[in-house]
Amino acid sequence: MWHVRTQEHQSRYNWFSYKIGQTIFRNKVSCDCTMCTNSYANGVKIEDADHASYLHDCENELGCRYFDTKEQRDEYEFRNK
């Protein structure tokens, strides 16, 4: 089981790294601050490898999930109400 989790973790890390220079979208979180609200509405552009690593860490630590498109995000939220 540990091996599978490690593979999933690496796969997500690679996904974030591949998205450098692109905008990704995350699901809604409980925080309503301006930054979180703006990130939800407009997405987040991954600036560089450090930023990609940071967002990967956020996904793991905060329990949020990032997606390629708003539509994917919306579908995920609909399925996980």
Side-chain angles (χ1 to χ4, degrees), residues 50-66:
D50 288 337
H51 192 209
S53 180
Y54 169 76
L55 292 173
H56 178 252
D57 290 344
C58 287
E59 183 176 85
N60 289 317
E61 294 174 18
L62 302 176
C64 58
R65 182 80 178 180
Y66 288 88

Side-chain angles (χ1 to χ4, degrees), residues 19-37:
K19 297 296 176 182
I20 293 171
Q22 299 177 34
T23 300
I24 59 174
F25 301 89
R26 83 164 182 221
N27 63 316
K28 190 165 236 156
V29 294
S30 60
C31 182
D32 287 331
C33 75
T34 304
M35 182 175 285
C36 287
T37 302

Side-chain angles (χ1 to χ4, degrees), residues 68-80:
D68 289 313
T69 66
K70 286 183 182 181
E71 293 78 18
Q72 288 174 337
R73 176 203 62 201
D74 293 346
E75 182 180 326
Y76 173 84
E77 288 182 330
F78 179 76
R79 286 189 321 236
N80 294 290

